[in-house]
Amino acid sequence: MIEQAEKRDIRQLSLEQLTEYFVQIGDKAFRAKQVYEWLWKKSAKDFDQMTNISLSTREKLKSEFTINHIAVDQMQRSGDGTIKNAVKLYDGMIVESVLIPTEKRITACISSQVGCSLDCNFCATARLKRMRNLNADEIYDQVVAIKDQSEQFFNRPLTNIVFMGMGEPLLNYANVLESIEKITKPDGLGMSPKRITLSTVGIPKMIKKLADDEVKFNLAVSLHSAINDTRSAVMPINEKSPLEELGDALKYWYYKTKSKVTYEYVVWRGINDKEKDVDALVKFCKIIPSKVNLIEYNPIDDGEFQQASEDALNLYVSKLEAAGIVAKVRRSRGKDIDAACGQLANKS
Ligand code: SAH
């Protein structure tokens, strides 16, 4: 329908723009605040939920705007409690987001793009073409959906958010930052930025921008190797932005924010499981205060990559710890439903 396509997504408007709109149509400025609260804090899915707004104003809003709310199209539950959502966007595209329950936390793992443009060889999402960036409201809605599931299925609040779903958040910078602003502000979800982690393949220019913007959330970098040749072989982005540049950007990040960084790191048999790989990581970890998450590899089919031996993992942990760096081995969650790191590929 042509008429439908012309309507604007009302959540693309800032509070200031919404205020301008209401004043311009001869209404009160505070109407904007009321509507804004419905749109964000109360996550209204349609204008009729806005019961303190007059019927005629609601009709006017309906004629000009849409609320492009996401819909959880399919929900799968893993034997370990993990929930994977296939989320349908207003244009029919699908992304995935995951609820990960542990004893102490409930974490939402959310997507920032439909597909991904980076060709990390070991990641299932990389096989999906990048179709488009998500809007701030589409990112926010994923968090709200998981927050609701957390309360419904676990009777516990959502505690953490990780941008570790589909896509590269730093290639959708403005929308990701706007969504985080909405998630953290009292007129949104009011969550602490300390409970949010943005994970990136490590784009130096954008890490510097985060530093300049003095963001308060946590930064994680998918490192996987601290040797250029090895890293380039598994993550082509490293050819454009080698480790030296990444290290410089991280120094700048630390200088500006005084926050440490977390490295995500998978150890694969025959790829990065030798002593020289461990030593290179230890050295890289000294650039700025950091900790290492050794993530279990989640096979994504062709067997090119295999999880390294326990001995190799132990060598990493012991050498990192000896150098005073905290290293944790992270076991996968939700593997049986393809909900673990790197497995999000809209397979349903
Ligand atoms: N593009 C961002 C956000 C995605 S986070 C980034 O790369 O950081 C997804 C995390 O899972 C990344 O650390 C990624 O390197 C890791 N990952 C990808 N495929 C994986 C796999 N098959 N097994 C385990 N971890 C994987």
Side-chain angles (χ1 to χ4, degrees):
M1 279 192 297
I2 294 167
E3 195 201 340
Q4 195 74 14
E6 283 171 357
K7 287 185 190 173
R8 285 193 291 165
D9 173 12
I10 192 165
R11 285 187 299 172
Q12 297 288 333
L13 302 189
S14 64
L15 179 58
E16 292 68 35
Q17 289 167 321
L18 209 54
T19 308
E20 224 168 80
Y21 169 80
F22 279 107
V23 171
Q24 187 211 319
I25 63 166
D27 205 331
K28 304 275 190 307
F30 77 85
R31 197 77 61 223
K33 258 198 147 154
Q34 290 176 315
V35 170
Y36 196 79
E37 186 164 278
W38 278 108
L39 291 173
W40 295 103
K41 195 168 191 155
K42 297 182 190 162
S43 286
K45 291 191 170 76
D46 70 68
F47 293 106
D48 285 329
Q49 281 175 269
M50 305 182 179
T51 45
N52 59 351
I53 308 295
S54 76
L55 205 60
S56 61
T57 306
R58 277 188 254 157
E59 289 305 321
K60 179 155 180 59
L61 290 174
K62 267 191 242 176
S63 71
E64 289 187 41
F65 297 104
T66 61
I67 303 175
N68 287 338
H69 215 281
I70 65 158
V72 175
D73 199 40
Q74 213 186 46
M75 192 188 103
Q76 284 173 277
R77 290 193 77 171
S78 153
D80 66 20
T82 301
I83 297 177
K84 181 169 84 167
N85 296 313
V87 167
K88 199 177 209 158
L89 310 174
Y90 72 91
D91 55 2
M93 295 207 175
I94 306 270
V95 291
E96 292 177 334
S97 48
V98 183
L99 178 158
I100 308 152
T102 60
E103 215 176 291
K104 292 201 187 117
R105 298 174 168 192
I106 296 220
T107 301
C109 174
I110 57 178
S111 295
S112 57
Q113 297 181 312
V114 184
C116 189
S117 60
L118 301 161
D119 295 314
C120 302
N121 300 351
F122 47 84
C123 179
T125 308
R127 308 203 170 155
L128 303 177
K129 216 173 121 208
R130 191 205 81 107
M131 303 302 286
R132 69 168 173 89
N133 285 337
L134 295 195
N135 294 325
D137 48 331
E138 293 171 323
I139 299 172
Y140 183 87
D141 286 351
Q142 292 175 64
V143 177
V144 173
I146 290 186
K147 184 175 180 288
D148 291 347
Q149 289 173 337
S150 176
E151 283 152 15
Q152 184 186 348
F153 296 110
F154 299 89
N155 207 11
R156 283 158 58 190
L158 174 67
T159 59
N160 295 75
I161 300 169
V162 294
F163 281 79
M164 296 188 187
M166 294 175 160
E168 168 51 47
L170 294 188
L171 293 179
N172 183 15
Y173 192 91
N175 294 346
V176 165
L177 259 69
E178 194 191 326
S179 74
I180 294 178
E181 198 180 302
K182 296 280 184 342
I183 293 164
T184 50
K185 281 226 171 129
D187 59 5
L189 297 178
M191 284 183 74
S192 162
K194 286 284 145 232
R195 296 184 170 278
I196 301 176
T197 301
L198 182 151
S199 175
T200 174
V201 290
I203 301 166
K205 196 169 88 187
M206 301 316 283
I207 292 176
K208 285 186 181 161
K209 184 154 170 54
L210 283 177
D212 282 333
D213 288 341
E214 293 181 23
V215 300
K216 300 280 182 287
F217 50 81
N218 305 300
L219 178 66
V221 172
S222 301
L223 195 63
H224 304 307
S225 173
I227 298 174
N228 273 321
D229 285 349
T230 308
R231 191 166 192 263
S232 295
V234 293
M235 300 177 74
I237 182 81
N238 194 70
E239 283 164 32
K240 252 194 271 163
S241 309
L243 290 160
E244 295 70 26
E245 272 179 45
L246 178 58
D248 284 347
L250 290 168
K251 269 188 212 158
Y252 189 73
W253 158 267
Y254 187 72
Y255 163 73
K256 283 272 189 174
T257 67
K258 296 284 168 293
S259 355
K260 64 175 179 236
V261 63
T262 301
Y263 297 121
E264 288 153 89
Y265 200 105
V266 178
V267 188
W268 292 287
R269 191 183 299 266
I271 293 178
N272 58 355
D273 58 351
K274 303 287 177 314
E275 191 146 9
K276 69 171 187 342
D277 300 294
V278 185
D279 294 340
L281 177 61
V282 169
K283 194 167 163 217
F284 195 84
C285 284
K286 288 183 178 157
I287 297 176
I288 65 164
S290 60
K291 64 173 190 180
V292 176
N293 279 340
L294 294 163
I295 324 173
E296 189 182 344
Y297 177 58
N298 302 306
I300 58 159
D301 65 25
D302 41 24
E304 185 189 344
F305 292 90
Q306 282 159 27
Q307 171 72 40
S309 64
E310 284 295 313
D311 284 352
L313 273 185
N314 292 338
L315 185 65
Y316 267 97
V317 173
S318 63
K319 282 212 163 192
L320 285 164
E321 283 181 348
I325 297 148
V326 175
K328 294 235 160 64
V329 178
R330 300 258 179 230
R331 301 286 166 204
S332 283
R333 309 290 310 256
K335 244 194 205 178
D336 54 340
I337 53 166
D338 282 338
C341 291
Q343 289 189 316
L344 301 184
N346 291 345
K347 276 205 283 187
S348 89

